[in-house]
Amino acid sequence: MPTIVHEFDWPDRVVVGTVGRPGSRTFYLQARAGTRTSSVALEKEQSAVLAEMVDRLLDELTAKNDQLSIPAEAPVELLDDEPLDQPVEEDFRTGTMRLAWDPRTLQMVIEAYPVEADLSDDDDPAGAGAADDEAEPSEMLLVRIPVGTARAFAQRTRRVVEAGRPTCSDCGLPMDEDGHECPADDGEQAP
């Protein structure tokens, strides 16, 4: 079965955003070109690492090639603080992601692949099809963006990740509206 590729070259918009309240948010990587939109679910940690890796790759490219004009900060005109485009319809839940540089088009390339379900003996007793499923992913998201957009994407993604629940000053774990049971608290009251 051929891979379904949700491909966006020079998209009108590419962002990470969330649906839900802090503590139960679902993160999405969403790309839009014209009226076509694709949204793939991510983990919070995947979002944070993606933003970090985008900035790191851009910094490495700047250090290696002084011919490239890569902004050190996100251009103000490219910042996007709008919510995700609605309705958010999940194409797949992301497992593996890859980040690359395309020197031909001078664009950052983001690839996201779905979490592939492992076939257990109960689901597939003969193991039929297991090798075929591993050979090619069923779907992928492929987004190519220019360097300024990549900087703005990374900046927004960091802000979205940091906008979650406040952290406990004692243990660093996230707190709910009611607080939390702090592992740093040994049950004794401070004097």
Side-chain angles (χ1 to χ4, degrees):
M1 172 186 239
T3 301
I4 298 169
V5 180
H6 307 278
E7 186 171 2
F8 293 85
D9 288 325
W10 300 91
D12 299 328
R13 183 175 197 225
V14 59
V15 296
V16 167
T18 61
V19 173
R21 296 174 45 109
S24 61
R25 297 184 297 170
T26 301
F27 285 72
Y28 290 95
L29 169 57
Q30 187 178 74
R32 180 187 71 217
T35 59
R36 188 172 60 91
T37 302
S38 184
S39 303
V40 298
L42 302 169
E43 294 298 326
K44 179 179 181 176
E45 293 78 15
Q46 287 175 305
S47 303
V49 169
L50 179 59
E52 178 185 331
M53 295 307 296
V54 165
D55 275 337
R56 184 180 300 167
L57 181 56
L58 291 172
D59 292 344
E60 288 174 7
L61 289 166
T62 300
K64 289 179 183 176
N65 188 343
D66 60 1
Q67 301 292 321
L68 293 173
S69 176
I70 298 175
E73 298 292 325
V76 175
E77 67 273 10
L78 296 178
L79 295 177
D80 182 344
D81 293 324
E82 297 299 315
L84 292 171
D85 293 340
Q86 298 294 322
V88 177
E89 296 176 2
E90 182 177 312
D91 291 314
F92 58 83
R93 176 158 291 283
T94 303
T96 303
M97 297 184 78
R98 287 196 297 201
L99 187 63
W101 173 251
D102 186 343
R104 295 173 301 116
T105 62
L106 302 179
Q107 291 178 301
M108 180 78 57
V109 181
I110 301 170
E111 297 177 0
Y113 299 90
V115 174
E116 297 295 336
D118 292 330
L119 297 175
S120 69
D121 292 340
D122 295 336
D123 294 309
D124 190 7
D132 292 340
D133 289 343
E134 292 174 5
E136 292 258 342
S138 58
E139 289 183 84
M140 74 177 284
L141 175 66
L142 174 61
V143 182
R144 291 183 183 91
I145 54 178
V147 294
T149 301
R151 283 283 191 211
F153 171 84
Q155 181 176 324
R156 175 197 166 107
T157 301
R158 280 191 305 278
R159 281 196 322 269
V160 168
V161 168
E162 293 166 358
R165 295 177 286 174
T167 56
C168 173
S169 60
D170 293 328
C171 70
L173 293 175
M175 298 188 316
D176 294 321
E177 292 174 3
D178 306 345
H180 77 291
E181 291 185 31
C182 183
D185 183 11
D186 60 7
E188 294 182 22
Q189 296 289 334

